[in-house]
Amino acid sequence: MAYPENLLYNKSHEWAKIEGEEATIGITSFAQEQLGDITFVELPEVGDTLEFGDELGSIESVKAASELYMPVSGEVIAVNEELEDAPEKVNEAPFEGGWLIKVKLTDEPKDLLSATEYAELVASEAH
């Protein structure tokens, strides 16, 4: 499977799209496939400041509940409110309409994987 080259990934299967001082964050297609049909997403509040590696919320599916982790450090400036009524958007378009939050970066992104490195990680976990 190909992962968008314009994104950075962390090992817990979240992605970050860095645009200037802002980042959009979501979960990868691999993560949503592992979870199955997503039924609920719990996200932070606008104004919350979270550090790299902090828990940013949780996601529930018919199979499991899973924590979500920050791939970057930043202050939450937007939350995808559509997910409250339509959490399945994460399954349908994990890299677009299914984004989770947007943050204003408070630190340089670090320890993130390129699309190629992330694909190798997923391949190694699948075996």
Side-chain angles (χ1 to χ4, degrees), residues 25 29 49 60 72 87:
I25 297 169
S29 50
T49 300
E60 294 176 18
V72 295

Side-chain angles (χ1 to χ4, degrees), residues 51-67:
E51 299 296 319
F52 172 81
D54 284 355
E55 193 175 309
L56 73 87
S58 62
I59 193 162
E60 294 176 18
S61 70
V62 291
K63 286 195 222 170
S66 202
E67 283 74 39

Side-chain angles (χ1 to χ4, degrees), residues 1-4 9-15 27-34 95 113-127:
M1 155 161 274
Y3 295 96
Y9 303 85
N10 69 357
K11 292 177 179 162
S12 55
H13 308 293
E14 290 84 14
W15 57 262
I27 66 166
T28 67
S29 50
F30 175 78
Q32 68 82 20
E33 285 168 13
Q34 297 298 305
F95 295 115
L113 307 173
S114 69
T116 304
E117 291 167 330
Y118 181 73
E120 289 168 3
L121 172 79
V122 169
S124 71
E125 284 189 7
H127 294 107

Side-chain angles (χ1 to χ4, degrees), residues 68-88:
L68 300 166
Y69 297 98
M70 287 292 286
V72 295
S73 298
E75 178 186 344
V76 180
I77 55 172
V79 173
N80 189 347
E81 293 179 3
E82 290 183 23
L83 300 181
E84 205 171 298
D85 296 323
E88 66 276 2

